[in-house]
């Protein structure tokens, strides 16, 4: 029996994005990550450059959920050394990181 | 589908689950507890109804229930027999993990088998020195040319005595990974655990793995994804099933108490007419209603993929298990000496209720989770 649930190439929980350019990718990631964080924290608004790991904001549970969300939502793999403040410290850095990953993947696999 | 239609469909499913649990499961609950075993006929009945693949989509051989409807199934089973609900919990934690984290080949290989109940699955996380803190896992998976060699020991494995497949969490270097281990593999040993306080039909076992070789294809998700990713995901589902089942246990305590106070007479009238008894019934009824609402809210969060589902599930588990213990204790109190005998189900309910405050993360762990989302 063929079980049809889609799976991405990295072996993560899945979905796909169909974003065409780097800037639109970044925009899309920014919007989705913000929406996730607003829902998760019940904070009304989060700016792009706000430090997410300042005291009293994201704790380890939420951080894990954020990484899982990013992997699932954008079909990417976050490997050990990539779990850093450089990549996850602000919404802007997350958007850069994810958009770069998506770009790199497309340049290697245009299909 | 309109909201009215959906609610009508959920109510209809709920009635179907209640009838099934009442007719096919409840008659075995006392024997499950007293004989410390689990009826084959109940497993067959669960298989026949497709309940061992309740959450899987039809294409994978499942019923495709959403979390709200699945909660109703767990509630009905938990009302009838905590061990029956435990069976569904551990089996579905593995089914869910394979469905969500497995490769297409793993899903094709295992999901139909699990949905049909050809193998019962068990969740092998806990060790003597590692439970809620999974970072303490000592079971090791050493990579070799042909796969991984597992060594270690897992404790309190629910339905480990009859499981045909285990989801084992093991250390791969600095990280934790998850593996499917079939029970017939060389190096797998299962030792029954008896005389637990409650949930005595849950066929607990100690699982020992000695140089147990599994192929690379048995690793679920990527290397190192076992903790926290896969584990958090699976435990959230497990906690939801426990919360829903415990709401059923709350209802069972309430119903048993109402039935008893109406027929038991003291001082020339049914004890239902005594105000101190009425107060106990009122508290149990209010808690039961609140527990049900919290479970439904958690189900809606899970169905929506809401980021706060984890906390909502923890709240439902914390509240229902605390309230069920209170309700079971009051139910025994209302029954007096009768409640202390094995002739009345409230005796079993009280012992089961204590277990529920501990399994799938103690209530103290639920409080930590809730506080982090507060």
């Amino acid at each position: 029996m063929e079980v049809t649930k889609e799976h991405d190439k990295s072996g993560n929980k899945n979905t796909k994005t169909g974003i065409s350019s780097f800037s639109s990718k970044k925009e899309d990631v920014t919007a989705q990550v913000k929406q996730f964080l607003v829902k998760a924290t019940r904070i009304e608004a989060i700016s792009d450059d706000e430090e997410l790991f300042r005291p009293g904001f994201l704790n380890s549970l939420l951080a894990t959920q954020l990484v899982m969300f990013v992997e699932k939502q954008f079909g990417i793999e976050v490997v050990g050394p990539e779990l850093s403040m450089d990549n996850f410290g602000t919404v802007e850095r997350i958007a850069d990181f994810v958009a770069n990953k998506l770009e790199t993947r497309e340049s290697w696999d245009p299909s | 589908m309109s909201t009215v239609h959906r609610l009508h469909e959920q109510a209809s499913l709920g009635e179907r689950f209640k009838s099934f649990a009442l007719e096919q499961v409840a008659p075995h609950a006392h024997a499950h507890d007293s004989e410390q075993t689990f009826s084959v006929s109940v497993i067959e009945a669960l298989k026949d109804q497709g309940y061992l693949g309740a959450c899987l989509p039809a294409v994978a051989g499942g019923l495709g229930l959403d979390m709200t409807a699945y909660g109703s199934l767990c509630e009905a089973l938990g009302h009838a027999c905590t061990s029956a609900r435990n069976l569904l919990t551990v089996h579905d934690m593995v089914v869910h993990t394979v469905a969500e984290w497995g490769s297409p080949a793993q899903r094709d290989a295992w999901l139909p088998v699990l949905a049909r109940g050809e193998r019962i699955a068990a969740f092998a996380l806990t060790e003597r020195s590692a439970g809620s803190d999974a970072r303490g896992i000592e079971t090791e998976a050493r990579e070799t040319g042909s796969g991984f060699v597992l060594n270690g020991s897992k404790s309190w494995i629910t339905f480990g005595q009859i499981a045909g497949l285990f989801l084992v969490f093991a250390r791969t270097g600095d990280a934790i990974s998850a593996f499917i281990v079939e029970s017939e593999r060389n190096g797998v040993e299962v030792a029954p655990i008896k005389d637990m306080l409650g949930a005595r039909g849950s066929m607990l076992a100690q699982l020992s793995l000695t140089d147990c070789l599994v192929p690379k294809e048995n690793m679920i998700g990527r290397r190192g994804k076992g903790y926290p990713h896969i584990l958090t995901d699976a435990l959230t589902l497990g906690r939801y099933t426990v919360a829903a089942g415990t709401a059923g246990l709350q209802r069972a305590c309430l119903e048993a108490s109402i039935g008893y106070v109406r027929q038991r007479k003291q001082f020339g009238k049914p004890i239902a007419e005594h105000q101190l008894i009425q107060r106990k019934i009122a508290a149990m009824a209010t808690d039961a209603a609140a527990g049900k609402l919290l479970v439904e809210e958690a189900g809606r969060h899970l169905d929506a993929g809401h980021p706060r589902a984890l906390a909502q599930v923890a709240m439902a588990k914390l509240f229902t298990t605390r309230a069920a213990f209170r309700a079971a204790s009051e139910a025994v109190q209302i029954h007096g000496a009768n409640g202390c005998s094995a002739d009345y189900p409230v005796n079993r309910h009280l012992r089961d209720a204590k277990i529920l405050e501990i399994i799938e993360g103690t209530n103290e762990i639920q409080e930590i989770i809730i506080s982090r989302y507060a």
Side-chain angles (χ1 to χ4, degrees):
Chain A
M1 178 191 290
E2 175 67 23
V3 180
T4 55
K5 192 167 183 179
E6 275 296 323
H7 228 259
D8 68 74
K9 293 169 186 171
S10 64
N12 282 323
K13 288 172 84 174
N14 13 260
T15 56
K16 290 178 178 177
T17 56
I19 315 163
S20 54
S21 71
F22 183 83
S23 60
S24 65
K25 280 187 183 72
K26 220 183 131 175
E27 222 170 89
D28 184 59
V29 175
T30 301
Q32 293 196 49
V33 168
K34 275 185 176 176
Q35 192 181 26
F36 170 87
L37 289 170
V38 164
K39 275 188 175 181
T41 61
R42 288 179 174 158
I43 286 171
E44 281 180 15
I46 293 168
S47 61
D48 293 2
D49 58 353
E50 202 170 339
E51 287 295 334
L52 300 178
F53 291 90
R54 67 182 186 272
F57 198 60
L58 286 197
N59 56 51
S60 59
L61 266 176
L62 281 166
T64 300
Q65 276 200 283
L66 173 63
V67 175
M68 285 170 74
F69 168 79
V70 163
E71 287 192 328
K72 179 183 175 187
Q73 200 66 14
F74 305 107
I76 62 165
E77 176 183 357
V78 181
V79 295
E82 292 172 338
L83 281 170
S84 67
M85 297 298 279
D86 285 348
N87 294 331
F88 283 88
T90 65
V91 171
E92 188 172 22
R93 280 180 241 159
I94 295 171
D96 271 331
F97 170 70
V98 174
N100 270 317
K101 289 279 259 189
L102 293 172
E103 287 278 303
T104 308
R105 188 172 70 191
E106 282 170 16
S107 69
W108 279 96
D109 179 9
S111 65
Chain B
M1 186 188 295
S2 72
T3 304
V4 172
H5 186 194
R6 185 170 47 79
L7 289 174
H8 182 71
E9 193 177 69
Q10 281 172 359
S12 162
L13 270 175
E15 287 309 310
R16 199 175 101 195
F17 299 149
K18 279 182 186 171
S19 298
F20 169 81
L22 196 66
E23 291 160 16
Q24 309 274 343
V25 182
H28 299 272
H30 177 71
H32 289 165
D33 181 63
S34 60
E35 296 167 18
Q36 301 193 48
T37 185
F38 196 85
S39 164
V40 172
S41 69
V42 173
I43 296 176
E44 290 304 317
L46 288 166
K47 283 186 198 175
D48 288 346
Q49 295 294 320
Y51 292 159
L52 295 178
C55 309
L56 283 176
V59 69
L63 296 181
L65 298 184
D66 62 23
M67 282 293 123
T68 310
Y70 179 58
S72 297
L73 173 60
C74 294
E75 197 269 353
L77 290 177
H79 175 270
C81 173
T82 290
S83 287
R85 199 271 313 134
N86 268 350
L87 176 69
L88 209 66
T89 292
V90 295
H91 185 79
D92 284 348
M93 284 165 79
V94 179
V95 168
H96 173 80
T97 298
V98 174
E100 292 295 325
W101 297 90
S103 66
Q106 287 168 332
R107 293 199 299 270
D108 287 347
W110 292 114
L111 292 183
V113 171
L114 293 170
R116 289 194 295 267
E118 290 167 15
R119 286 179 188 255
I120 296 298
F123 196 77
L125 164 69
T126 306
E127 300 181 3
R128 289 284 178 196
S129 55
S132 295
D133 182 5
R135 290 169 299 186
I137 282 175
E138 290 175 355
T139 296
E140 183 193 36
R142 185 170 41 84
E143 192 162 9
T144 66
S146 50
F148 290 87
V149 176
L150 274 64
N151 280 289
S153 186
K154 297 287 182 178
S155 303
W156 319 122
I157 307 306
T158 301
F159 283 98
Q161 292 180 41
I162 59 167
L165 179 155
F166 297 90
L167 183 68
V168 174
F169 289 83
R171 183 166 293 288
T172 45
D174 292 336
I176 307 289
S177 302
F179 299 89
I180 291 284
V181 178
E182 302 91 330
S183 59
E184 68 273 18
R185 284 200 177 273
N186 288 336
V188 173
E189 273 185 61
V190 169
I193 298 173
K194 298 278 188 185
D195 300 328
M196 298 297 287
L197 172 69
R200 287 158 72 97
S202 297
M203 305 194 77
L204 266 61
Q206 177 89 11
L207 170 69
S208 299
L209 301 162
T210 308
D211 293 331
C212 175
L213 176 66
V214 297
K216 286 191 170 69
E217 296 74 46
N218 279 29
M219 186 164 74
I220 299 287
R222 296 195 315 273
R223 185 182 174 124
K225 278 283 172 187
Y227 177 82
H229 297 67
I230 293 176
L231 188 56
T232 305
D233 198 27
L235 281 177
T236 301
L237 180 80
R239 286 165 184 164
Y240 175 64
T241 66
V242 172
T246 308
L249 181 60
Q250 285 182 263
R251 184 163 60 86
C253 292
L254 175 64
E255 289 171 359
S257 298
I258 289 172
Y260 190 82
V261 300
R262 284 179 179 162
Q263 57 86 21
R264 171 77 171 167
K265 288 185 179 168
Q266 291 290 284
F267 305 105
K269 58 184 179 184
I271 61 173
E273 293 179 22
H274 294 293
Q275 287 185 331
L276 287 179
I277 296 295
Q278 290 169 4
R279 186 176 68 185
K280 292 180 193 298
I281 297 292
M284 288 162 74
T286 306
D287 277 355
K292 189 168 184 290
L293 289 172
L294 273 172
V295 169
E296 288 171 357
E297 183 68 357
R300 283 191 287 273
H301 272 68
L302 287 170
D303 279 328
H306 197 288
R308 298 183 67 86
L310 192 72
Q312 210 62 45
V313 167
M315 280 185 202
K317 203 255 178 192
L318 177 69
F319 182 86
T320 55
T321 57
R322 273 184 180 167
F325 189 72
R326 279 197 303 272
S329 178
E330 290 289 48
V332 169
Q333 190 70 25
I334 286 169
H335 282 68
N338 284 329
C340 299
S341 81
D343 294 339
Y344 286 80
V346 293
N347 168 311
R348 167 167 48 87
H349 295 340
L350 180 59
R351 290 182 287 103
D352 288 350
K354 178 37 81 180
I355 301 295
L356 298 170
E357 291 194 296
I358 294 167
I359 59 172
E360 311 311 346
T362 62
N363 279 358
E364 288 74 16
I365 290 291
Q366 309 311 319
E367 288 175 304
I368 291 171
I369 293 170
I370 294 163
S371 72
R372 289 187 181 175
Y373 286 82

